[in-house]
Each structure stands twice: as C-alpha cells, then as structure tokens.
Amino acid sequence: MPARIYQRPKSAMQSGKARVDEWVLEFEQTEARRPDPLMGWTGSGDTQAQVKLTFPDKDAAKAYAEKHGIPARVHVTPPKTLKLQAYADNFR
C-alpha cells in the first residue's frame, strides 16, 4: 500500500508557523470513492486512506516507512520566495 510523505503546508487562515515543521505520512487511496445513494456523501471501503501519521522530521517518517515495509514517496516543499516592496510602490 503506497504512501506519501510531505511537509504540512501552512493554512490560508493561519498567520503563524505553528505545526508547519511537521512531516506527514499519508496512505494513498487504493479504492475509488463513490457517492452514497441515500445521503450523497462520498466514501470508500479503504480505511487506510483515513490514516495520517505525523513526525518531527523527514528522516523519522522515512525510517518508519522502511521499518514497516511501506513504499513511500517524499514530496519536498519548494522554498518560498518573498517579494518585498514598499507601500509607495503601489502608486508608481
């Protein structure tokens, strides 16, 4: 059952950097999601897709995956670049 390891992104509603340094191991879906005929919710019989494990760093997540025989892909977050400008630049 394949998994992916990624660094938790900052939420759009979040101004600070809490929990941004955590790494997440998340199992990929092996079964297609289907709508429930009565309620209209989507779901599947794949319970592993509900599992999210957090780790303090990437190496710990990779070590856990190797120890338990989980094939995992690491998705590295690209570095963020800031475009610094002055407020006066809006009126040029």
Side-chain angles (χ1 to χ4, degrees), residues 28-60:
E28 295 179 357
Q29 289 189 350
T30 57
E31 185 177 308
R33 297 177 67 97
R34 58 189 181 281
D36 182 70
L38 181 62
M39 298 297 289
W41 299 336
T42 58
S44 69
D46 183 20
T47 57
Q48 286 287 4
Q50 301 172 5
V51 177
K52 283 187 181 180
L53 302 172
T54 59
F55 297 93
D57 58 356
K58 177 176 60 171
D59 296 329

Side-chain angles (χ1 to χ4, degrees), residues 3 5 25 55 60-72:
I5 298 172
L25 184 139
F55 297 93
K62 285 172 53 176
Y64 178 86
E66 289 174 3
K67 179 181 176 184
H68 294 283
I70 301 168

Side-chain angles (χ1 to χ4, degrees), residues 6-9 18-24 54-58:
Y6 62 93
Q7 192 170 16
R8 186 184 301 264
R19 299 181 68 186
V20 174
D21 54 348
E22 289 182 347
W23 286 80
V24 179
T54 59
F55 297 93
D57 58 356
K58 177 176 60 171

